[in-house]
């Protein structure tokens, strides 16, 4: 390859565009970035030179010059949990529409790791903002609000103000799941996934919904059928279901599982022990992960609107980046109860149980 051929293959620079258009480098910068008005004649010359040379602005350099990196951090507990990987895909797609790149990290629910990833010093300063789904943080763990590097919280409410928060109504969703089991004639319903400790807010709200459904239907609650789980993995559901099958007073006739992984693990135990789903024991999950749709039997589940969660989280972050005066809001997104074979034995249907996102400033 000759020097001339090598040069032709080098990325075009501002000075190359300026030389081709016969204008100053400042004029090219003004046209590319829209900083200042440029005459129509010069603008057309610059645009023609840009197209001819294939010039691409250095977005990272431009962002850094403006005090921005163009990067958003998405911090989740576990990437190998399908709910979070599917959420990450939705966040990345929405952020791309605003010209941002998403960097994803996981915390394994570790409190110190969660704190580290939202600090405003060191590597974290590379991010213009953070979208955080935390498991272990409490309010006093959160840094003072920094309008230059906003933080949007996902999941359960951990603070009384200052931060944007996007969630679903877990109490109402769990109540809907439990009511569905009553609607199909089940009366002895177990729950797998309670977390009765400080950082188990999501699970505690689902337990509350489970109990509310019993109270409103006038069905007595056997609290020994509420099985706590430290984690929400396949094995947690499988082990808990085995305990329920081995009860001296007999197994329940239905189970509400606090996520789909627990539900899939529970169904595996039932099938390997010759228990028919749903004829003997009906099962409901939570999250509507893709695997549940292809399970045999397919899984009835609560489906949070992940696309809406991603959309609102990114939009709130961008709004804060564009205006430090943007008011913090608590936003609730829709969910659906997706009825499939694990409760009815029939093809799937969808029942909308909540309509319309609620939004408003913190009070």
């Amino acid at each position: 390859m000759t020097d001339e051929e090598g040069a032709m293959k080098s990325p075009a620079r501002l000075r190359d565009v300026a030389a081709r258009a016969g204008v100053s480098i400042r004029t090219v910068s003004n046209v590319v970035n829209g900083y200042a008005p440029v005459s129509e004649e010069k603008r057309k010359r610059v645009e023609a030179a840009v197209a001819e040379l294939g010039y691409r602005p250095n977005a990272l350099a431009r962002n850094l010059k403006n005090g921005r990196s163009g990067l958003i951090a998405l911090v989740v507990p576990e990437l190998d949990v399908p709910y979070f990987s599917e959420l990450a895909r939705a966040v990345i797609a929405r952020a791309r529409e605003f010209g941002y790149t998403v960097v994803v990290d996981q915390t394994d629910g570790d409190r110190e790791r969660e704190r580290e990833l939202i600090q405003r010093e060191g590597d974290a300063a590379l991010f213009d903002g953070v979208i955080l789904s935390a498991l272990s943080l409490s309010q006093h763990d959160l840094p003072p609000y920094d309008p230059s590097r906003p933080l949007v919280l996902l999941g359960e409410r951990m603070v009384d103000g200052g931060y944007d928060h996007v969630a679903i109504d877990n109490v109402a969703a769990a109540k809907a799941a439990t009511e569905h089991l009553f609607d199909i004639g089940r009366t002895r319903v177990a729950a797998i996934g309670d977390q009765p400790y400080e950082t188990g807010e999501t699970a505690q709200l689902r337990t509350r919904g489970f109990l509310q459904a019993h109270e409103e239907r006038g069905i007595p609650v056997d609290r020994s059928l509420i099985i706590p789980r430290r984690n929400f993995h396949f094995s947690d559901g499988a082990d808990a279901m085995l305990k329920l099958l081995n009860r001296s007073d007999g197994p329940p006739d239905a189970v509400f599982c606090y996520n789909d992984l627990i539900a899939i693990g529970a169904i595996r135990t039932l099938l390997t022990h010759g228990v028919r789903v749903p004829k003997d024991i009906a099962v409901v999950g939570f999250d509507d992960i893709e695997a549940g749709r292809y399970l045999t039997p397919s899984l009835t589940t609560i489906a949070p609107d992940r696309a809406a969660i991603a959309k609102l989280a990114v939009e709130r972050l961008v709004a804060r980046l564009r205006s430090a005066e943007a008011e913090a809001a608590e936003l609730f997104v829709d969910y659906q109860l997706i009825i499939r074979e694990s409760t009815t034995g029939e093809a799937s249907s969808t029942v909308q149980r909540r309509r319309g996102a609620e939004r408003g400033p913190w009070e």
Side-chain angles (χ1 to χ4, degrees), residues 44-55:
K44 288 182 177 180
R45 282 159 51 191
V46 170
E47 290 175 347
V50 166
E52 184 178 347
L53 296 174
Y55 172 72

Side-chain angles (χ1 to χ4, degrees), residues 259-282:
N259 84 341
D260 285 352
L261 298 188
I262 288 177
I264 293 172
I267 288 174
R268 173 66 179 176
T269 292
L270 291 172
L271 297 180
T272 56
H273 285 76
V275 179
R276 296 167 297 180
V277 179
K279 187 171 184 179
D280 299 324
I281 299 180

Side-chain angles (χ1 to χ4, degrees), residues 176 303 333-338 349-356:
V333 304
D334 296 347
Y335 66 83
Q336 293 178 322
L337 172 64
I338 309 295
S349 62
T350 302
V351 178
Q352 180 76 43
R353 308 295 291 206
R354 182 180 180 88
R355 297 180 61 85

